[in-house]
Each structure stands twice: as C-alpha cells, then as structure tokens.
Amino acid sequence: MSTQHDDAEGERRAWAWSAHLLDGGTTPWSRWAGTGERTGRVLPGAQQLELLRRLNLAAHDLGVRPEPALARRVLEASAPGRGRPDLELLGAAPLSRFGPAPVDPAQLPADELIRVTTSLLAEDLVAAPLPGAGPVPPWRRPGSLVHRWRPRYRLVGDPWRADAARRHLVAQGRPPGGPEPTVLVLGGPLSTMLVDLWTDRAFSTGGPVPSWRTWVDTVVETGRLGRGADPVASARRWTGRVGADRVRVVLDPGALPAQVGVRRVPPAPLLPADATDLARRVGGVLGLLVTPARGRQVLRQVLLPRLLEAPEPLPGAPLGVPPEHHRWVVRRSRRLRHELLAAPYPVVGTVLGSPDALLDHPRRLAGAEPGEPHDDRVLDLAVRMLLEHADPHPAPPAATPADRPRQEDRP
C-alpha cells in the first residue's frame, strides 16, 4: 500500500518526466528516475505523455525537433471517441478502488495514442486553407464553342472512382450536368469496388465508419453490397429517373475519356491501407469540429494531397479483401455478371469493358498482397504527419535503443 510520502515522490518524478519530454527527451517512464517541481495545475495524462515521447523518437529519426508549441499541444490534447479517459501514471498516483487504474504508458495500445494524435491532426487540417480552383482555359469556359458542344454526362456507381474523375473533369472545364445528360455507371472487379466504397466512406464525415475488417465482414454476412459496389442496382435506380436509353455501364477505365469528351482521365488515387484508415479516424474527429460537407472537403482537398505527395512513398500495401472472403467475392462477382448480362444497359468499352470485367478470379485474389490497416503503422504515419512542419534544426542527442519501445512493452 502506498504512503503519502511515496505518492508525493511519484508525483515529483512525473512532473520531471513531463519536463524531460517537453525538452525533447525520449526516456520511457519505467526507466525515469529524476524528480522535479510542479510546473502546472494538472499533470498530463499517460496517453499524452507517451505520445509526446513517441513524437520525440520520430523526430530524432527525421533529424528534426518538434516545435515547443506542438509539444504543449500534445500534452493538452484530449482523446475523443470511444476509449479510456486520460489515465494517470503508474507510480505517480495512489491506487484507487474507483475509476481506471494508473498505467505504464509503454503498455498502452496504439489505438489509445491514435485517438489523441487524430485530434491534433484534425485541428491542423481544419486550420489549413482549402486549395483554390485553378484558371480554366478560355476555350473551356461556359459559352465557348467547345464548351457548348461538350458531352453532357453524370458520373455514378463506384464512388471513389467517380469522385476522382469528376474533380479532374471540373478542373479541366468539363463539369458534369447539362440538359438530359447520359448517366455513366462506373464499375470494375467486385473486390476493387468494395475497397473503393469503403475508401470513399473513410474520406467522408457523414457519420462513424467501421474499420475495414468489421465493414467487409458485415457485407459478406448480410450480402448487401450497396449501390457503390453494384453497377446493376445503380443503373436500375437511374433508369427510373432518366430512362434506360440514357444509362450506360462503364467497366473499362480506358473507355471513360471518350464518353466525357477528354483525352485522358487519371485513375483514382491508390493509398496504402494504413493511410486510408488514418483518414477514417481523422474523419471521425472532423465530424465533431465542422459540418459533414466541410469535413469532406478537408479530407479530400487537404489530407489526401498530403498523403499522396509525401516526401517518401508511404509504405504498405493497398487495401485488399481478407483471404477468408475470397470465395464469397468470386461467387458474388459471377452473380453480378449474370445480372448485368440480363439487364438492358449497354456496356461501354473493349474487351476490358465487357461484363467479364466484374469477375474476380481466385488466383488473382490469392496473388495480391492482402493489405489491412495495423494500429502501430497508423500511429507511426499520424506522428510523422504531425512533424511535417517541424523545425529542421538539429535535434537533441539521438535516442538509445533502450529508449525505444521494446517488443515486450507492446500489448
């Protein structure tokens, strides 16, 4: 049982460790022995202190030093979402029968640190200005001869692919719409459409988005694809609004430019699984700070370019369907093909654009690396994003191997 003297000694030790971390230190709490005086009203939580230590470790690796303002923001940050409240340090607070027990920060799961990190990232992203639209060439402005003769279209179907194509076409002066547009239903292999549908939701803020594993498990269990992964259902819906003669299914990416009057439409952005999951987590915090429409803009116009334009390519494989669901995907893709063959909608394209483009083949699925987010890698990416604008001046002495999280320290 702890005594009052032990509690006071542990609190002084904790305040000294906090000051050590604010100064760029990386020593773990379990190996910290120094003591100091109280420098604030409330001691920061274990999540915030451990995150600052991880931030300092990453800064050493990058040869930078976190700005003092960022370090203080980390210690003052909250941990939104579902999870444990701010926790006290083991050995710095008396044990109590009520409330969460004090912890060794090194034993905290990465998810607890991600909650704090995404809160800080969301604040940074909201404060960043949205990029302005570039100038439209004169021959592509409304009223020009080329503009008046442009194809009238609307993009639906695969939402991630449709949104990327739409943004590119708007930037090129070829926005969708117009009187009696042709509805182009975009699609592809079922496994790709499933990934795109979840990715699109991860980069939105209309509500909480389950993890990739939880979401795809639910899709397989219920059999409900959603229109974003079911071109026939999407085409059927639009047929009721515009008629079947104005609905086309585009399964060949190379056939899309001719349908919208341009020479080229770049493919949708492809991100590693960890980067997509980070966007999902940041989006959950943005939903508490801004409107859904503004949050979607922030995710797609601020966060997405930062992820795509990182100084070094982001590690990790793109999202993939878990191996245990490969058979289901193959069977369901065959069913989609059968439904499309029986439907009255023309399929635009060459061989790639035939209904066979919906099919997933067992060998192709088995040969692809099954990318899936991992909390430790998501945390590493989030920490590095916080350090994007860190001071490039020399950092304090490099951390020793003993300062880094040991394998046995991780849950």
Side-chain angles (χ1 to χ4, degrees):
M1 184 174 181
S2 64
T3 65
Q4 186 174 359
H5 177 269
D6 293 336
D7 295 341
E9 184 72 13
E11 185 177 359
R12 289 195 296 270
R13 178 172 161 239
W15 281 110
W17 190 52
S18 176
H20 165 72
L21 298 178
L22 279 170
D23 195 40
T26 59
T27 303
W29 168 246
S30 60
R31 299 189 182 95
W32 180 255
T35 58
E37 298 299 323
R38 175 189 291 268
T39 57
R41 186 173 62 87
V42 179
L43 188 68
Q47 298 102 313
Q48 289 80 0
L49 290 164
E50 178 63 13
L51 175 58
L52 180 55
R53 190 180 79 84
R54 301 284 185 96
L55 197 75
N56 292 336
L57 281 171
H60 287 307
D61 292 339
L62 296 173
V64 300
R65 179 161 189 171
E67 297 178 357
L70 173 60
R72 294 198 174 276
R73 282 181 61 211
V74 170
L75 296 187
E76 296 170 0
S78 61
R82 295 181 179 180
R84 291 185 279 186
D86 292 349
L87 301 172
E88 296 182 310
L89 296 173
L90 182 65
L95 297 176
S96 172
R97 295 173 55 189
F98 307 100
V103 298
D104 178 354
Q107 298 293 332
L108 286 171
D111 182 67
E112 289 291 332
L113 305 183
I114 292 173
R115 291 171 57 221
V116 182
T117 315
T118 51
S119 176
L120 296 166
L121 276 177
E123 293 173 357
D124 290 346
L125 293 171
V126 168
L130 295 176
V136 178
W139 60 88
R140 287 179 176 156
R141 293 173 184 168
S144 68
L145 183 61
V146 173
H147 188 273
R148 280 180 288 176
W149 284 100
R150 68 178 175 83
R152 303 181 188 92
Y153 70 91
R154 185 184 295 273
L155 297 177
V156 299
D158 184 318
W160 186 243
R161 181 178 159 193
D163 182 70
R166 193 181 300 114
R167 282 187 278 114
H168 171 76
L169 292 168
V170 169
Q172 296 297 310
R174 300 277 187 172
E180 299 185 351
T182 299
V183 177
L184 304 175
V185 183
L186 306 186
L190 177 57
S191 59
T192 301
M193 291 190 293
L194 289 173
V195 168
D196 285 351
L197 182 54
W198 187 81
T199 301
D200 183 77
R201 295 181 180 182
F203 278 87
S204 302
T205 54
V209 180
S211 68
W212 166 244
R213 169 70 66 159
T214 300
W215 183 82
V216 76
D217 286 348
T218 302
V219 168
V220 173
E221 181 180 350
T222 63
R224 298 174 182 172
L225 295 177
R227 284 190 296 267
D230 189 340
V232 179
S234 185
R236 189 178 298 121
R237 171 174 176 263
W238 280 96
T239 296
R241 300 176 61 177
V242 303
D245 59 326
R246 283 171 43 202
V247 176
R248 301 176 186 174
V249 178
V250 183
L251 304 180
D252 179 3
L256 180 60
Q259 300 298 312
V260 295
V262 297
R263 292 183 177 179
R264 178 179 178 272
V265 177
L270 184 63
L271 292 167
D274 302 314
T276 307
D277 193 60
L278 176 61
R280 174 185 72 90
R281 294 168 182 263
V282 171
V285 183
L286 285 174
L288 305 175
L289 302 178
V290 295
T291 63
R294 170 72 175 183
R296 180 184 172 95
Q297 285 181 313
V298 169
L299 288 171
R300 300 186 185 220
Q301 298 181 34
V302 181
L303 176 60
L304 180 58
R306 289 187 183 179
L307 293 170
L308 294 173
E309 298 166 7
E312 298 180 1
L314 300 179
L319 282 170
V321 174
E324 61 268 27
H325 296 321
H326 285 180
R327 285 191 175 184
W328 182 90
V329 168
V330 171
R331 291 196 303 269
R332 192 57 184 269
S333 70
R334 291 171 181 168
R335 177 176 160 187
L336 281 179
R337 175 184 177 274
H338 177 75
E339 292 174 353
L340 183 56
L341 286 171
Y345 315 113
V347 180
V348 179
T350 56
V351 176
L352 290 176
S354 75
D356 290 349
L358 292 170
L359 294 176
D360 273 293
H361 300 281
R363 288 185 179 179
R364 186 180 69 82
L365 289 174
E369 185 176 354
E372 190 169 347
H374 190 281
D375 284 352
D376 287 330
R377 296 194 300 265
V378 173
L379 176 61
D380 290 343
L381 175 58
V383 165
R384 287 180 177 269
M385 290 199 69
L386 281 179
L387 291 169
E388 272 187 349
H389 305 293
D391 189 348
H393 294 307
T400 65
D403 292 339
R404 300 184 180 277
R406 299 171 297 174
Q407 188 66 33
E408 59 267 26
D409 288 339
R410 295 186 175 181

